Amino acid sequence: MTENKYADTFRHKGLRKKLVESIRLKGIRDENVLKAIEAVPRHLFFDSGFLEFAYEDKAFPIGAGQTISQPYTVAFQTELLQIKRGDKVLEIGTGSGYQASILYQMGAKVFSIERQRLLFTKAKEQLPQMGFAIKTFFGDGYKGLPAFAPFDKIIVTAGAPYVPEALTNQLKPGGILVIPLDEGDSQLMTSIRKLPDSTLITTQHGRFRFVPLLGDKSHD
Ligand code: SAM
């Protein structure tokens, strides 16, 4: 019998329900975020040898020295974005594509940039096969995606040393940018709202741990 690589069994669904309940207990309130976490099969973003880790509320290595973020962190950042159906969203740091798929599941049009060729190629190939029509780009997230700007929402999923000006420039008035800020061991989750007159209002939401947002590839 050939095993369906994209199977989503009752067991997986049960584990997801438990994961959602644990995230709810940690304080996530947006039902649309919780519904998306319950709907998107996180195990599909793991290599087959590590499936038992998919429904723990933990980050996990995905190759190239990178990680798929902890589900609670994904839920927290997504809640801060206040996603509405039809929102045009830019993600910096595609990684496994899981965060992008949660946004897509909530009805957003998702554009996502990844700097590691290996991860970009894998996500570009696999996301459509899983049913997630996400526009993926290989490039440097510090520059954003000027050809497709402006965006209603922008999410950065790596720890940034500062707020790249390209990103605030590419945000629509009324839009929200969510970015973990600071170098070092942990980052301050920060949301920045652009008012209609383009003033930026910054709010901080506690410390999280991310891999760093890296600069130009030629400096690796
Ligand atoms: N969102 C991902 C997911 O759902 O699996 C997790 C992201 S992982 C914590 C951070 C990602 O940001 C890594 O894949 C890393 O290669 C990428 N990254 C780091 N610096 C970047 C940059 N300047 N531009 C684009 N992506 C970058």
Side-chain angles (χ1 to χ4, degrees), residues 62 64 66-69 74 91-100 113-116 119 139-142 157-158 210-216:
I62 52 170
Q66 303 304 323
T67 53
I68 178 171
S69 301
V74 170
E91 179 194 29
I92 311 300
T94 314
S96 68
Y98 177 67
Q99 169 73 73
I113 311 177
E114 174 55 54
R115 171 188 182 277
Q116 297 278 357
L119 297 175
D140 178 8
Y142 277 93
T157 66
F210 282 85
V211 292
L213 187 69
L214 298 171
D216 193 312

PDB file of all heavy atoms in Angstrom, residues 62 64 66-69 74 91-100 113-116 119 139-142 157-158 210-216, ligand 1:
ATOM      1  N   ILE A  62      14.252  23.049  10.886  1.00  0.00           N
ATOM      2  CA  ILE A  62      13.740  22.688   9.548  1.00  0.00           C
ATOM      3  C   ILE A  62      14.867  22.637   8.519  1.00  0.00           C
ATOM      4  O   ILE A  62      14.625  22.666   7.322  1.00  0.00           O
ATOM      5  CB  ILE A  62      12.656  23.700   9.065  1.00  0.00           C
ATOM      6  CG1 ILE A  62      13.162  25.147   9.177  1.00  0.00           C
ATOM      7  CG2 ILE A  62      11.360  23.499   9.802  1.00  0.00           C
ATOM      8  CD1 ILE A  62      12.270  26.176   8.499  1.00  0.00           C
ATOM      9  N   ALA A  64      18.991  24.094   7.248  1.00  0.00           N
ATOM     10  CA  ALA A  64      19.658  25.370   6.950  1.00  0.00           C
ATOM     11  C   ALA A  64      19.798  26.235   8.207  1.00  0.00           C
ATOM     12  O   ALA A  64      19.831  27.462   8.125  1.00  0.00           O
ATOM     13  CB  ALA A  64      18.923  26.126   5.841  1.00  0.00           C
ATOM     14  N   GLN A  66      17.640  26.823  10.470  1.00  0.00           N
ATOM     15  CA  GLN A  66      16.426  27.601  10.746  1.00  0.00           C
ATOM     16  C   GLN A  66      15.389  26.761  11.481  1.00  0.00           C
ATOM     17  O   GLN A  66      15.565  25.558  11.649  1.00  0.00           O
ATOM     18  CB  GLN A  66      15.846  28.142   9.425  1.00  0.00           C
ATOM     19  CG  GLN A  66      16.840  28.988   8.645  1.00  0.00           C
ATOM     20  CD  GLN A  66      17.372  30.148   9.462  1.00  0.00           C
ATOM     21  OE1 GLN A  66      16.637  30.761  10.245  1.00  0.00           O
ATOM     22  NE2 GLN A  66      18.651  30.465   9.300  1.00  0.00           N
ATOM     23  N   THR A  67      14.313  27.413  11.921  1.00  0.00           N
ATOM     24  CA  THR A  67      13.280  26.699  12.690  1.00  0.00           C
ATOM     25  C   THR A  67      11.877  27.037  12.185  1.00  0.00           C
ATOM     26  O   THR A  67      11.655  28.113  11.628  1.00  0.00           O
ATOM     27  CB  THR A  67      13.313  27.112  14.185  1.00  0.00           C
ATOM     28  OG1 THR A  67      13.248  28.551  14.246  1.00  0.00           O
ATOM     29  CG2 THR A  67      14.553  26.630  14.890  1.00  0.00           C
ATOM     30  N   ILE A  68      10.951  26.108  12.391  1.00  0.00           N
ATOM     31  CA  ILE A  68       9.517  26.416  12.273  1.00  0.00           C
ATOM     32  C   ILE A  68       9.156  26.972  13.653  1.00  0.00           C
ATOM     33  O   ILE A  68       9.510  26.399  14.693  1.00  0.00           O
ATOM     34  CB  ILE A  68       8.684  25.161  11.907  1.00  0.00           C
ATOM     35  CG1 ILE A  68       7.183  25.479  11.826  1.00  0.00           C
ATOM     36  CG2 ILE A  68       8.914  23.991  12.847  1.00  0.00           C
ATOM     37  CD1 ILE A  68       6.338  24.314  11.238  1.00  0.00           C
ATOM     38  N   SER A  69       8.494  28.150  13.686  1.00  0.00           N
ATOM     39  CA  SER A  69       8.235  28.806  14.972  1.00  0.00           C
ATOM     40  C   SER A  69       7.295  27.970  15.844  1.00  0.00           C
ATOM     41  O   SER A  69       6.500  27.164  15.341  1.00  0.00           O
ATOM     42  CB  SER A  69       7.611  30.190  14.751  1.00  0.00           C
ATOM     43  OG  SER A  69       8.464  30.989  13.976  1.00  0.00           O
ATOM     44  N   VAL A  74       3.379  31.687  16.634  1.00  0.00           N
ATOM     45  CA  VAL A  74       2.663  31.906  15.366  1.00  0.00           C
ATOM     46  C   VAL A  74       1.286  32.511  15.666  1.00  0.00           C
ATOM     47  O   VAL A  74       0.866  33.503  15.048  1.00  0.00           O
ATOM     48  CB  VAL A  74       2.512  30.565  14.587  1.00  0.00           C
ATOM     49  CG1 VAL A  74       1.579  30.724  13.397  1.00  0.00           C
ATOM     50  CG2 VAL A  74       3.882  30.057  14.145  1.00  0.00           C
ATOM     51  N   GLU A  91       4.977  38.415   4.328  1.00  0.00           N
ATOM     52  CA  GLU A  91       5.734  37.751   5.399  1.00  0.00           C
ATOM     53  C   GLU A  91       7.221  37.775   5.048  1.00  0.00           C
ATOM     54  O   GLU A  91       7.596  37.469   3.912  1.00  0.00           O
ATOM     55  CB  GLU A  91       5.300  36.281   5.550  1.00  0.00           C
ATOM     56  CG  GLU A  91       6.097  35.579   6.653  1.00  0.00           C
ATOM     57  CD  GLU A  91       5.983  34.058   6.668  1.00  0.00           C
ATOM     58  OE1 GLU A  91       5.781  33.452   5.588  1.00  0.00           O
ATOM     59  OE2 GLU A  91       6.110  33.477   7.749  1.00  0.00           O
ATOM     60  N   ILE A  92       8.056  38.121   6.027  1.00  0.00           N
ATOM     61  CA  ILE A  92       9.501  38.026   5.849  1.00  0.00           C
ATOM     62  C   ILE A  92       9.970  36.786   6.607  1.00  0.00           C
ATOM     63  O   ILE A  92       9.813  36.718   7.835  1.00  0.00           O
ATOM     64  CB  ILE A  92      10.235  39.274   6.418  1.00  0.00           C
ATOM     65  CG1 ILE A  92       9.605  40.579   5.928  1.00  0.00           C
ATOM     66  CG2 ILE A  92      11.722  39.208   6.097  1.00  0.00           C
ATOM     67  CD1 ILE A  92       9.583  40.787   4.459  1.00  0.00           C
ATOM     68  N   GLY A  93      10.532  35.813   5.878  1.00  0.00           N
ATOM     69  CA  GLY A  93      11.014  34.580   6.502  1.00  0.00           C
ATOM     70  C   GLY A  93      10.026  33.439   6.298  1.00  0.00           C
ATOM     71  O   GLY A  93       9.370  32.999   7.249  1.00  0.00           O
ATOM     72  N   THR A  94       9.942  32.926   5.069  1.00  0.00           N
ATOM     73  CA  THR A  94       8.984  31.849   4.747  1.00  0.00           C
ATOM     74  C   THR A  94       9.259  30.603   5.579  1.00  0.00           C
ATOM     75  O   THR A  94       8.318  29.942   6.033  1.00  0.00           O
ATOM     76  CB  THR A  94       9.094  31.453   3.245  1.00  0.00           C
ATOM     77  OG1 THR A  94       9.121  32.633   2.455  1.00  0.00           O
ATOM     78  CG2 THR A  94       7.979  30.542   2.814  1.00  0.00           C
ATOM     79  N   GLY A  95      10.558  30.268   5.739  1.00  0.00           N
ATOM     80  CA  GLY A  95      10.929  29.043   6.467  1.00  0.00           C
ATOM     81  C   GLY A  95      10.198  27.843   5.913  1.00  0.00           C
ATOM     82  O   GLY A  95      10.264  27.571   4.713  1.00  0.00           O
ATOM     83  N   SER A  96       9.453  27.141   6.769  1.00  0.00           N
ATOM     84  CA  SER A  96       8.706  25.956   6.329  1.00  0.00           C
ATOM     85  C   SER A  96       7.452  26.329   5.542  1.00  0.00           C
ATOM     86  O   SER A  96       6.865  25.485   4.872  1.00  0.00           O
ATOM     87  CB  SER A  96       8.277  25.159   7.558  1.00  0.00           C
ATOM     88  OG  SER A  96       7.293  25.900   8.287  1.00  0.00           O
ATOM     89  N   GLY A  97       6.972  27.560   5.698  1.00  0.00           N
ATOM     90  CA  GLY A  97       5.716  27.964   5.055  1.00  0.00           C
ATOM     91  C   GLY A  97       4.507  27.824   5.972  1.00  0.00           C
ATOM     92  O   GLY A  97       3.373  28.131   5.582  1.00  0.00           O
ATOM     93  N   TYR A  98       4.717  27.380   7.221  1.00  0.00           N
ATOM     94  CA  TYR A  98       3.583  27.156   8.131  1.00  0.00           C
ATOM     95  C   TYR A  98       2.857  28.459   8.487  1.00  0.00           C
ATOM     96  O   TYR A  98       1.630  28.557   8.369  1.00  0.00           O
ATOM     97  CB  TYR A  98       4.078  26.442   9.400  1.00  0.00           C
ATOM     98  CG  TYR A  98       2.984  26.229  10.423  1.00  0.00           C
ATOM     99  CD1 TYR A  98       1.935  25.363  10.163  1.00  0.00           C
ATOM    100  CD2 TYR A  98       3.006  26.901  11.646  1.00  0.00           C
ATOM    101  CE1 TYR A  98       0.921  25.166  11.099  1.00  0.00           C
ATOM    102  CE2 TYR A  98       1.998  26.706  12.585  1.00  0.00           C
ATOM    103  CZ  TYR A  98       0.970  25.844  12.304  1.00  0.00           C
ATOM    104  OH  TYR A  98      -0.042  25.666  13.227  1.00  0.00           O
ATOM    105  N   GLN A  99       3.606  29.475   8.898  1.00  0.00           N
ATOM    106  CA  GLN A  99       2.982  30.757   9.256  1.00  0.00           C
ATOM    107  C   GLN A  99       2.212  31.325   8.050  1.00  0.00           C
ATOM    108  O   GLN A  99       1.089  31.817   8.190  1.00  0.00           O
ATOM    109  CB  GLN A  99       4.065  31.746   9.719  1.00  0.00           C
ATOM    110  CG  GLN A  99       3.598  33.188   9.878  1.00  0.00           C
ATOM    111  CD  GLN A  99       2.726  33.437  11.092  1.00  0.00           C
ATOM    112  OE1 GLN A  99       3.213  33.454  12.214  1.00  0.00           O
ATOM    113  NE2 GLN A  99       1.432  33.644  10.866  1.00  0.00           N
ATOM    114  N   ALA A 100       2.825  31.240   6.872  1.00  0.00           N
ATOM    115  CA  ALA A 100       2.163  31.744   5.662  1.00  0.00           C
ATOM    116  C   ALA A 100       0.857  30.984   5.419  1.00  0.00           C
ATOM    117  O   ALA A 100      -0.159  31.582   5.030  1.00  0.00           O
ATOM    118  CB  ALA A 100       3.102  31.588   4.459  1.00  0.00           C
ATOM    119  N   ILE A 113       8.740  36.100   1.612  1.00  0.00           N
ATOM    120  CA  ILE A 113      10.131  36.150   1.122  1.00  0.00           C
ATOM    121  C   ILE A 113      11.027  35.276   2.005  1.00  0.00           C
ATOM    122  O   ILE A 113      10.940  35.337   3.234  1.00  0.00           O
ATOM    123  CB  ILE A 113      10.709  37.584   1.209  1.00  0.00           C
ATOM    124  CG1 ILE A 113       9.753  38.603   0.593  1.00  0.00           C
ATOM    125  CG2 ILE A 113      12.074  37.662   0.540  1.00  0.00           C
ATOM    126  CD1 ILE A 113      10.250  40.042   0.712  1.00  0.00           C
ATOM    127  N   GLU A 114      11.896  34.491   1.369  1.00  0.00           N
ATOM    128  CA  GLU A 114      12.877  33.680   2.112  1.00  0.00           C
ATOM    129  C   GLU A 114      14.267  33.907   1.518  1.00  0.00           C
ATOM    130  O   GLU A 114      14.435  33.993   0.312  1.00  0.00           O
ATOM    131  CB  GLU A 114      12.476  32.201   2.033  1.00  0.00           C
ATOM    132  CG  GLU A 114      13.463  31.219   2.621  1.00  0.00           C
ATOM    133  CD  GLU A 114      13.837  31.511   4.078  1.00  0.00           C
ATOM    134  OE1 GLU A 114      12.940  31.620   4.911  1.00  0.00           O
ATOM    135  OE2 GLU A 114      15.058  31.634   4.353  1.00  0.00           O
ATOM    136  N   ARG A 115      15.244  33.960   2.391  1.00  0.00           N
ATOM    137  CA  ARG A 115      16.611  34.264   1.997  1.00  0.00           C
ATOM    138  C   ARG A 115      17.466  33.016   1.770  1.00  0.00           C
ATOM    139  O   ARG A 115      18.497  33.074   1.116  1.00  0.00           O
ATOM    140  CB  ARG A 115      17.201  35.132   3.117  1.00  0.00           C
ATOM    141  CG  ARG A 115      18.635  35.421   3.079  1.00  0.00           C
ATOM    142  CD  ARG A 115      18.973  36.120   4.378  1.00  0.00           C
ATOM    143  NE  ARG A 115      20.370  36.486   4.416  1.00  0.00           N
ATOM    144  CZ  ARG A 115      21.337  35.669   4.765  1.00  0.00           C
ATOM    145  NH1 ARG A 115      21.066  34.429   5.090  1.00  0.00           N
ATOM    146  NH2 ARG A 115      22.593  36.095   4.769  1.00  0.00           N
ATOM    147  N   GLN A 116      17.041  31.871   2.356  1.00  0.00           N
ATOM    148  CA  GLN A 116      17.790  30.620   2.166  1.00  0.00           C
ATOM    149  C   GLN A 116      17.222  29.885   0.960  1.00  0.00           C
ATOM    150  O   GLN A 116      16.053  29.488   0.960  1.00  0.00           O
ATOM    151  CB  GLN A 116      17.630  29.707   3.408  1.00  0.00           C
ATOM    152  CG  GLN A 116      18.186  30.268   4.682  1.00  0.00           C
ATOM    153  CD  GLN A 116      19.677  30.040   4.794  1.00  0.00           C
ATOM    154  OE1 GLN A 116      20.295  29.412   3.927  1.00  0.00           O
ATOM    155  NE2 GLN A 116      20.272  30.568   5.849  1.00  0.00           N
ATOM    156  N   LEU A 119      15.350  26.476   1.568  1.00  0.00           N
ATOM    157  CA  LEU A 119      14.014  26.579   2.172  1.00  0.00           C
ATOM    158  C   LEU A 119      13.023  27.183   1.185  1.00  0.00           C
ATOM    159  O   LEU A 119      11.870  26.752   1.099  1.00  0.00           O
ATOM    160  CB  LEU A 119      14.082  27.416   3.458  1.00  0.00           C
ATOM    161  CG  LEU A 119      14.944  26.830   4.578  1.00  0.00           C
ATOM    162  CD1 LEU A 119      15.033  27.799   5.752  1.00  0.00           C
ATOM    163  CD2 LEU A 119      14.387  25.494   5.046  1.00  0.00           C
ATOM    164  N   GLY A 139      14.712  36.153  -1.756  1.00  0.00           N
ATOM    165  CA  GLY A 139      15.278  37.494  -1.709  1.00  0.00           C
ATOM    166  C   GLY A 139      15.560  37.946  -0.295  1.00  0.00           C
ATOM    167  O   GLY A 139      15.505  37.162   0.653  1.00  0.00           O
ATOM    168  N   ASP A 140      15.852  39.220  -0.169  1.00  0.00           N
ATOM    169  CA  ASP A 140      16.226  39.805   1.117  1.00  0.00           C
ATOM    170  C   ASP A 140      15.046  40.571   1.705  1.00  0.00           C
ATOM    171  O   ASP A 140      14.632  41.601   1.171  1.00  0.00           O
ATOM    172  CB  ASP A 140      17.425  40.743   0.902  1.00  0.00           C
ATOM    173  CG  ASP A 140      17.835  41.419   2.205  1.00  0.00           C
ATOM    174  OD1 ASP A 140      17.291  41.052   3.269  1.00  0.00           O
ATOM    175  OD2 ASP A 140      18.682  42.320   2.151  1.00  0.00           O
ATOM    176  N   GLY A 141      14.535  40.041   2.808  1.00  0.00           N
ATOM    177  CA  GLY A 141      13.364  40.634   3.446  1.00  0.00           C
ATOM    178  C   GLY A 141      13.562  42.060   3.921  1.00  0.00           C
ATOM    179  O   GLY A 141      12.578  42.792   4.096  1.00  0.00           O
ATOM    180  N   TYR A 142      14.810  42.469   4.169  1.00  0.00           N
ATOM    181  CA  TYR A 142      15.045  43.865   4.588  1.00  0.00           C
ATOM    182  C   TYR A 142      14.520  44.841   3.532  1.00  0.00           C
ATOM    183  O   TYR A 142      14.185  45.983   3.857  1.00  0.00           O
ATOM    184  CB  TYR A 142      16.547  44.122   4.776  1.00  0.00           C
ATOM    185  CG  TYR A 142      17.087  43.698   6.125  1.00  0.00           C
ATOM    186  CD1 TYR A 142      17.643  42.437   6.300  1.00  0.00           C
ATOM    187  CD2 TYR A 142      17.043  44.557   7.221  1.00  0.00           C
ATOM    188  CE1 TYR A 142      18.148  42.042   7.531  1.00  0.00           C
ATOM    189  CE2 TYR A 142      17.542  44.173   8.455  1.00  0.00           C
ATOM    190  CZ  TYR A 142      18.098  42.917   8.606  1.00  0.00           C
ATOM    191  OH  TYR A 142      18.590  42.536   9.829  1.00  0.00           O
ATOM    192  N   THR A 157       9.261  37.179  10.709  1.00  0.00           N
ATOM    193  CA  THR A 157       9.305  35.992  11.564  1.00  0.00           C
ATOM    194  C   THR A 157      10.739  35.621  11.956  1.00  0.00           C
ATOM    195  O   THR A 157      11.033  34.465  12.238  1.00  0.00           O
ATOM    196  CB  THR A 157       8.593  34.790  10.895  1.00  0.00           C
ATOM    197  OG1 THR A 157       9.329  34.417   9.728  1.00  0.00           O
ATOM    198  CG2 THR A 157       7.171  35.127  10.517  1.00  0.00           C
ATOM    199  N   ALA A 158      11.622  36.626  11.966  1.00  0.00           N
ATOM    200  CA  ALA A 158      12.981  36.450  12.487  1.00  0.00           C
ATOM    201  C   ALA A 158      13.299  37.704  13.298  1.00  0.00           C
ATOM    202  O   ALA A 158      12.675  38.754  13.100  1.00  0.00           O
ATOM    203  CB  ALA A 158      13.968  36.271  11.330  1.00  0.00           C
ATOM    204  N   PHE A 210      13.729  34.285  18.690  1.00  0.00           N
ATOM    205  CA  PHE A 210      13.735  34.020  17.248  1.00  0.00           C
ATOM    206  C   PHE A 210      15.161  33.816  16.744  1.00  0.00           C
ATOM    207  O   PHE A 210      16.101  34.356  17.335  1.00  0.00           O
ATOM    208  CB  PHE A 210      13.159  35.228  16.490  1.00  0.00           C
ATOM    209  CG  PHE A 210      11.662  35.302  16.524  1.00  0.00           C
ATOM    210  CD1 PHE A 210      11.007  35.902  17.594  1.00  0.00           C
ATOM    211  CD2 PHE A 210      10.891  34.769  15.491  1.00  0.00           C
ATOM    212  CE1 PHE A 210       9.622  35.976  17.640  1.00  0.00           C
ATOM    213  CE2 PHE A 210       9.515  34.840  15.531  1.00  0.00           C
ATOM    214  CZ  PHE A 210       8.877  35.447  16.598  1.00  0.00           C
ATOM    215  N   VAL A 211      15.297  33.109  15.618  1.00  0.00           N
ATOM    216  CA  VAL A 211      16.579  33.122  14.903  1.00  0.00           C
ATOM    217  C   VAL A 211      16.719  34.515  14.285  1.00  0.00           C
ATOM    218  O   VAL A 211      15.723  35.206  14.072  1.00  0.00           O
ATOM    219  CB  VAL A 211      16.642  32.022  13.803  1.00  0.00           C
ATOM    220  CG1 VAL A 211      16.664  30.643  14.421  1.00  0.00           C
ATOM    221  CG2 VAL A 211      15.489  32.144  12.816  1.00  0.00           C
ATOM    222  N   PRO A 212      17.957  34.968  14.003  1.00  0.00           N
ATOM    223  CA  PRO A 212      18.115  36.352  13.539  1.00  0.00           C
ATOM    224  C   PRO A 212      17.697  36.590  12.084  1.00  0.00           C
ATOM    225  O   PRO A 212      17.814  35.702  11.251  1.00  0.00           O
ATOM    226  CB  PRO A 212      19.624  36.599  13.691  1.00  0.00           C
ATOM    227  CG  PRO A 212      20.251  35.259  13.747  1.00  0.00           C
ATOM    228  CD  PRO A 212      19.225  34.286  14.232  1.00  0.00           C
ATOM    229  N   LEU A 213      17.193  37.803  11.853  1.00  0.00           N
ATOM    230  CA  LEU A 213      16.963  38.279  10.489  1.00  0.00           C
ATOM    231  C   LEU A 213      18.340  38.663   9.954  1.00  0.00           C
ATOM    232  O   LEU A 213      19.002  39.548  10.502  1.00  0.00           O
ATOM    233  CB  LEU A 213      16.042  39.502  10.513  1.00  0.00           C
ATOM    234  CG  LEU A 213      15.580  40.016   9.154  1.00  0.00           C
ATOM    235  CD1 LEU A 213      14.606  39.035   8.494  1.00  0.00           C
ATOM    236  CD2 LEU A 213      14.915  41.386   9.283  1.00  0.00           C
ATOM    237  N   LEU A 214      18.776  37.943   8.923  1.00  0.00           N
ATOM    238  CA  LEU A 214      20.153  38.106   8.448  1.00  0.00           C
ATOM    239  C   LEU A 214      20.208  39.093   7.290  1.00  0.00           C
ATOM    240  O   LEU A 214      19.226  39.270   6.565  1.00  0.00           O
ATOM    241  CB  LEU A 214      20.712  36.744   8.019  1.00  0.00           C
ATOM    242  CG  LEU A 214      20.788  35.722   9.168  1.00  0.00           C
ATOM    243  CD1 LEU A 214      21.130  34.341   8.617  1.00  0.00           C
ATOM    244  CD2 LEU A 214      21.788  36.150  10.231  1.00  0.00           C
ATOM    245  N   GLY A 215      21.411  39.689   7.140  1.00  0.00           N
ATOM    246  CA  GLY A 215      21.595  40.685   6.080  1.00  0.00           C
ATOM    247  C   GLY A 215      21.954  40.047   4.756  1.00  0.00           C
ATOM    248  O   GLY A 215      21.711  38.860   4.538  1.00  0.00           O
ATOM    249  N   ASP A 216      22.552  40.846   3.917  1.00  0.00           N
ATOM    250  CA  ASP A 216      22.929  40.461   2.569  1.00  0.00           C
ATOM    251  C   ASP A 216      23.668  39.116   2.561  1.00  0.00           C
ATOM    252  O   ASP A 216      24.581  38.901   3.356  1.00  0.00           O
ATOM    253  CB  ASP A 216      23.851  41.565   2.029  1.00  0.00           C
ATOM    254  CG  ASP A 216      24.046  41.441   0.541  1.00  0.00           C
ATOM    255  OD1 ASP A 216      24.327  40.324   0.105  1.00  0.00           O
ATOM    256  OD2 ASP A 216      23.916  42.471  -0.144  1.00  0.00           O
TER     257      ASP A 216
HETATM  258  N1  SAM B   1       7.782  31.639   9.236  1.00  0.00           N
HETATM  259  C1  SAM B   1       8.556  30.416   9.300  1.00  0.00           C
HETATM  260  C2  SAM B   1       7.700  29.206   9.407  1.00  0.00           C
HETATM  261  O1  SAM B   1       6.470  29.324   9.551  1.00  0.00           O
HETATM  262  O2  SAM B   1       8.271  28.100   9.321  1.00  0.00           O
HETATM  263  C3  SAM B   1       9.573  30.407  10.424  1.00  0.00           C
HETATM  264  C4  SAM B   1      10.599  31.402  10.193  1.00  0.00           C
HETATM  265  S1  SAM B   1      12.204  31.095  10.866  1.00  0.00           S
HETATM  266  C5  SAM B   1      11.919  31.375  12.576  1.00  0.00           C
HETATM  267  C6  SAM B   1      12.988  32.589  10.216  1.00  0.00           C
HETATM  268  C7  SAM B   1      13.200  32.544   8.713  1.00  0.00           C
HETATM  269  O3  SAM B   1      13.650  33.841   8.291  1.00  0.00           O
HETATM  270  C8  SAM B   1      14.262  31.544   8.286  1.00  0.00           C
HETATM  271  O4  SAM B   1      13.748  30.672   7.331  1.00  0.00           O
HETATM  272  C9  SAM B   1      15.365  32.444   7.707  1.00  0.00           C
HETATM  273  O5  SAM B   1      16.081  31.829   6.654  1.00  0.00           O
HETATM  274  C10 SAM B   1      14.573  33.641   7.235  1.00  0.00           C
HETATM  275  N2  SAM B   1      15.356  34.874   7.080  1.00  0.00           N
HETATM  276  C11 SAM B   1      16.373  35.345   7.844  1.00  0.00           C
HETATM  277  N3  SAM B   1      16.813  36.531   7.372  1.00  0.00           N
HETATM  278  C12 SAM B   1      16.040  36.819   6.273  1.00  0.00           C
HETATM  279  C13 SAM B   1      16.006  37.896   5.348  1.00  0.00           C
HETATM  280  N4  SAM B   1      16.842  38.936   5.421  1.00  0.00           N
HETATM  281  N5  SAM B   1      15.082  37.857   4.371  1.00  0.00           N
HETATM  282  C14 SAM B   1      14.202  36.811   4.253  1.00  0.00           C
HETATM  283  N6  SAM B   1      14.200  35.757   5.089  1.00  0.00           N
HETATM  284  C15 SAM B   1      15.108  35.763   6.090  1.00  0.00           C
END
